[in-house]
Amino acid sequence: MQLRINHVTTYTYSEPVFYALQQLRLTPRSGHGQTVLEWSSVISGGTKQLSFDDQFVNHTELVLVDEGVQTIEIVSSGVVDVVDRHGITGRHRGFAPVWLFESATPMTEAGPNLRQLAREVKSETDSGDVLGRLHALSARIAQSVRYETGRTEVTTKAESALAAGHGVCQDHAQIMISVARLLGHPARYVSGYLMMNDRVEQDATHAWCEVWDETLGWIGFDVSNGIAPDDRYVRVAVGRDSRDAAPIMGLRQGAGTEDLHVSLQVQQ
Amino acid sequence: MIRKPETFDEMLADPHTARSPYSAYFNWFGSENLKHLRRKSADAEAFFRRIGITFNVYGQDEADERLIPFDIVPRIIAADEWTRLERGTEQRVRAINAFLHDIYHRQEIIRAGRIPREIIAGNAAYLPEMIGVDPPGGVYTHVVGVDLVRTGENDFFVLEDNARTPSGVSYMLENRETMLQMFPELFTQLRVRPVSRYPQLLRRSLADCAPPGFSGGKPTVAVLTPGIHNSAYFEHSFLADQMGAELVESQDLRIENGRVVMRTTEGYHPIDVLYRRVDDEYLDPLTFNPESLLGVPGIMDVYRAGNITIANAPGTGIADDKALYSYMPEIVEFYTGESAILKNVPTWRCSEADSLAYVLENLKDLVVKEVHGSGGYGMLVGPAASKKELAAFEAKLRARPGNYIAQPTLALSTVPILTKSGLAPRHVDLRPFVLVSPDRIDMTPGGLTRVALKKGSLVVNSSQGGGTKDTWVLEG
């Protein structure tokens, strides 16, 4: 399926910017069932400084916000052809070893709630059926952590989202990652785009997770939608947690506040 | 019963006979007047105070800056001894750089089963952000300070490989400067190899590692310091001054045109090589600790794009981690195909049950160190510890065995210091400084000799009351 994506991120600052940087992981890569046919990112109110591939082979760009502006707009758009591989991303790429995805990060550190969930899934499912166990885990998370926007933050950790019982795709993915690791499976975070069938205007960028299996490779799980990623999903960045794969990571010096607005269209 | 091993005195074969490297010095000393020498010693201290080489001791009053005591009796190393140390150190440093490249790329050494991956995974000194990065010139550790100890005529051991930002080189230079001022006549009698070229060599080796495409005739080198409150600030400003490089702090730097640039009187100027004396964690708040005010936001991105050299490279700490130390002989062999010239101190990893049992059994004879500690903090010297201290440490060991390694108490060699009643032996170690460029490894003939001033003490760290000596390497 060919997906046409137009993703506009706008930051509005209450004071003219003195010095600020934005690190972008917004460029999808061809491979693993997706082919990037065209892609561009255009920035107004800022200047691209450089680009490189990070440790997880995510294409990364650094942008310096122009001094004195009060708005910066980042437009990422293009066309990606995706094949339905029923959630199987497949083989591992790059120098980052798979074992790097075995240990917890500060965002995915397990507390009593996550450990309890891991114990329950372990005792209720068959250890010989890895896929079955992971699907059960995904369903359990969707059930106990209601999808609700505006109640968790980008800084919310997996343990607190599980304890709160509500969250968004980021929280779902990080909870799944944390528990999968507790159960002995390397797991990683994926940020990207999803075309919801019933609409062109999407609420936000999407996030899901992938769990490593020695035979199949990386397998995707979208906890929030209860499905395996198919040809409506575009993978953009991966990492150990949401911080590694964040579409935008910023740093600003000086006073004032900032507002973020995202507009996203994904269509065939 | 363990018999106390004999201590090797580097100067004296017996109370009246000096070993060959010291014979000329010993004769000279015999003809000198003790009172006169004591006065010279006081002069040396005044000299240090004047130039302002002081040191901050952690754990004491924060504002308490003090002088590291300097002893005027030099430590002398013969030419052939030095050649052997040089070969051994070069081999080790070569292996460390190959290891760092491997561990941040294909990890052949783990695949080959030569080191367990657990030692890398979950080690805070291992930086995933360095995975796949090729530092300009292929150099990871531009400056290494290898801590050596001696236990006999031909027995040298490596105690630690300082591969992050080793400090102390300013003492090597200032100690020599002082000795040249105090005792010019000695330098006419003994042919001592100079150390004064170190800053020029450092500059050259840093410049040789610059990324390609620097502007102007030669690469711009700058020294990044955390600021005047850092205990080694003197050294940072001293080295910048000696190299003819800019000394910069966080607030002088920013990103412009994909480069790190520094504020100068003529506007912003790009930096090609940053000799940073700021730890990895604080280097880049955008990538590492977001609270850091000491680093340069975005510098890791500039680095990963190949637009600046950071010396030493981020993530080199994994090579001098104490948990990894015990694998150094394997590492040297794996990457050089030779067995290690310099010996490792036998090390028990307390993470392993058998080793822990042995260590607990023999605690009073061992030195126990924290895996991630440095500067002599948090360590136990068994033979010097009280029953109460031993018991307290045993509890710590049982609670977190993986946090500790243990080594036998080495009979460190002694070199005499000058006391009120003349010469008296004190234990020493040696930190020579090694510079790495893409095509060569240079070890400056000399180094920092640290000396435990307290009689019988084995702890030479300046933070624990150690002093320093000038180190003389004789011409062949």
Side-chain angles (χ1 to χ4, degrees), chain B residues 412-423:
Chain B
L412 300 193
S413 61
T414 60
V415 173
I417 61 166
L418 186 70
T419 67
K420 281 191 196 107
S421 48
L423 295 177

Side-chain angles (χ1 to χ4, degrees), chain B residues 193-417:
Chain B
R193 293 179 65 187
V195 293
S196 56
R197 287 185 64 219
Y198 179 86
Q200 278 64 50
L201 288 174
L202 172 61
R203 197 201 153 94
R204 190 183 71 186
S205 85
L206 290 173
D208 285 351
C209 294
F214 49 84
S215 54
K218 54 178 189 178
T220 300
V221 178
V223 180
L224 173 66
T225 175
I228 59 164
H229 299 297
N230 185 272
S231 65
Y233 180 76
F234 170 82
E235 181 161 301
H236 308 159
S237 65
F238 174 84
L239 284 175
D241 183 51
Q242 295 279 307
M243 284 197 288
E246 288 302 321
L247 180 68
V248 295
E249 292 180 35
S250 173
Q251 66 269 20
D252 303 321
L253 305 174
R254 55 174 288 161
I255 309 288
E256 202 176 270
N257 301 322
R259 310 280 309 270
V260 173
V261 298
M262 63 183 170
R263 198 197 318 252
T264 70
T265 47
E266 289 133 38
Y268 282 97
H269 183 83
I271 294 172
D272 298 295
V273 183
L274 189 65
Y275 178 45
R276 50 88 179 217
R277 298 294 295 260
V278 169
D279 293 345
D280 287 352
E281 190 191 344
Y282 301 101
L283 189 58
D284 182 353
L286 189 61
T287 299
F288 304 122
N289 186 345
E291 307 294 321
S292 171
L293 298 172
L294 305 176
V296 189
I299 189 173
M300 278 303 288
D301 292 24
V302 176
Y303 185 62
R304 291 192 276 190
N307 297 346
I308 192 169
T309 297
I310 300 175
N312 288 356
T316 54
I318 191 66
D320 69 18
D321 189 78
K322 288 193 180 68
L324 207 88
Y325 167 85
S326 58
Y327 294 95
M328 276 309 290
E330 307 255 21
I331 290 174
V332 169
E333 208 181 297
F334 189 76
Y335 296 106
T336 66
E338 306 157 3
S339 47
I341 297 169
L342 289 172
K343 282 181 277 195
N344 242 39
V345 181
T347 303
W348 289 275
R349 306 171 193 128
C350 300
S351 55
E352 297 167 7
D354 289 0
S355 299
L356 177 65
Y358 178 88
V359 171
L360 288 171
E361 189 106 324
N362 296 280
L363 205 52
K364 63 177 195 328
D365 300 318
L366 300 172
V367 175
V368 189
K369 297 174 176 174
E370 278 185 22
V371 169
H372 306 295
S374 69
Y377 294 95
M379 74 190 251
L380 173 85
V381 181
S386 69
K387 277 204 168 122
K388 214 170 134 191
E389 286 167 325
L390 285 171
F393 215 89
E394 186 179 328
K396 288 208 278 187
L397 262 168
R398 286 188 194 279
R400 289 185 64 197
N403 200 32
Y404 299 94
I405 55 157
Q407 294 171 336
T409 320
L410 295 181
L412 300 193
S413 61
T414 60
V415 173
I417 61 166

Side-chain angles (χ1 to χ4, degrees), chain A residues 103-246:
Chain A
S103 355
T105 60
M107 293 299 284
T108 56
E109 194 90 70
N113 290 285
L114 286 162
R115 276 197 289 269
Q116 174 66 23
L117 178 56
R119 268 194 303 273
E120 286 170 18
V121 172
K122 196 173 176 180
S123 70
E124 290 162 18
T125 58
D126 171 12
S127 65
D129 175 14
V130 174
L131 280 180
R133 173 173 275 186
L134 293 171
H135 281 296
L137 168 61
S138 174
R140 279 291 293 271
I141 297 168
Q143 202 178 53
S144 41
V145 183
R146 210 168 47 254
Y147 188 93
E148 226 174 298
T149 55
R151 298 198 54 186
T152 47
E153 312 274 333
V154 286
T155 52
T156 302
K157 298 178 176 183
E159 176 71 17
S160 18
L162 178 59
H166 47 72
V168 295
C169 55
Q170 169 179 318
D171 305 300
H172 284 151
Q174 293 198 125
I175 292 168
M176 174 110 183
I177 288 168
S178 179
V179 176
R181 287 176 186 159
L182 288 175
L183 296 171
H185 306 286
R188 68 183 182 184
Y189 187 95
V190 187
S191 67
Y193 300 111
L194 161 63
M195 183 188 72
M196 300 287 264
N197 285 339
D198 56 346
R199 64 195 96 156
V200 171
E201 290 288 338
Q202 315 290 330
D203 293 335
T205 59
H206 196 45
W208 58 98
C209 75
E210 290 177 347
V211 181
W212 177 254
D213 175 81
E214 283 300 332
T215 323
L216 296 172
W218 291 107
I219 309 165
F221 292 87
D222 180 357
V223 177
S224 307
N225 293 299
I227 50 171
D230 54 23
D231 55 359
R232 295 169 301 153
Y233 287 72
V234 175
R235 303 167 74 257
V236 178
V238 297
R240 292 163 302 171
D241 59 22
S242 60
R243 279 184 61 89
D244 279 347

Side-chain angles (χ1 to χ4, degrees), chain B residues 93-156:
Chain B
V93 168
R94 214 175 274 292
I96 285 175
N97 275 276
F99 167 72
L100 286 165
H101 184 270
D102 184 32
I103 213 69
Y104 287 120
H105 291 81
R106 290 185 49 79
Q107 309 196 314
E108 300 288 2
I109 195 165
I110 295 179
R111 290 168 202 243
R114 300 292 287 272
I115 64 167
R117 74 165 203 229
E118 290 72 26
I119 217 158
I120 307 292
N123 191 321
Y126 181 72
L127 296 186
E129 290 79 4
M130 283 298 292
I131 293 171
V133 175
D134 290 302
V139 176
Y140 283 85
T141 63
H142 306 77
V143 187
V144 186
V146 180
D147 286 352
L148 299 168
V149 294
R150 187 176 195 178
T151 59
E153 179 88 61
N154 293 308
D155 300 307
F156 285 90

